[in-house]
Amino acid sequence: MTTAPLKIISDGMAELGLEYGFGEYAGNPVVYPYWVGEYTETEPFTEDGLQEVTFLLTGFSRGSWLALEQEKERIENYFSRVSGKTVITDNGSGVAIFYANSMIVPTGDAELKRIQINLNIQEWKVTV
């Protein structure tokens, strides 16, 4: 995966006004809810330059679930299953990002709430 999808997601989170960090959240002081992004690549199986990636957005909140669920809904709408976010990058590669699903992840802490959102990324790389 190139850095283009990372920028698309980061820009989207900023556009939504959500607290976000890639790899780790560095807000000081911590502002809840916040989101942390990470990814898992799969081995490309096609000859057309397609690479598929699962991008995980993990949201954290303290206290109520409501704010976290509201932000999850905004992210789901932004990366809609129907239209998603599709971009042709400066080098001519294509990127499509779609909301896949979400799940509640237990934390073992009654105050700390956590939700994981899975985004599907498809990136077609142009080679010259």
Side-chain angles (χ1 to χ4, degrees), residues 103-115:
M103 66 181 157
I104 292 173
V105 181
T107 65
D109 178 342
E111 286 296 310
L112 185 63
K113 312 300 187 224
R114 181 169 53 188
I115 291 179

Side-chain angles (χ1 to χ4, degrees), residues 24-35:
E24 65 183 343
Y25 177 70
N28 188 9
V30 174
V31 176
Y32 290 100
Y34 70 85
W35 298 85

Side-chain angles (χ1 to χ4, degrees), residues 4-16 18 20 55 57 71-87 95-101 117-121:
L6 300 178
K7 181 167 179 10
I8 294 165
I9 292 169
S10 180
D11 290 350
M13 297 298 277
E15 185 178 326
L16 292 170
L18 304 179
Y20 170 75
F55 193 90
L57 275 173
E71 289 191 0
K72 179 195 79 128
E73 185 175 328
R74 291 171 58 202
I75 294 167
E76 181 177 1
N77 290 335
Y78 189 85
F79 295 106
S80 162
R81 285 185 180 107
V82 177
S83 59
K85 286 293 168 204
T86 56
V87 174
V95 177
I97 303 174
F98 297 93
Y99 178 93
N101 55 43
I117 294 174
N118 296 322
L119 301 176
N120 289 333
I121 299 174

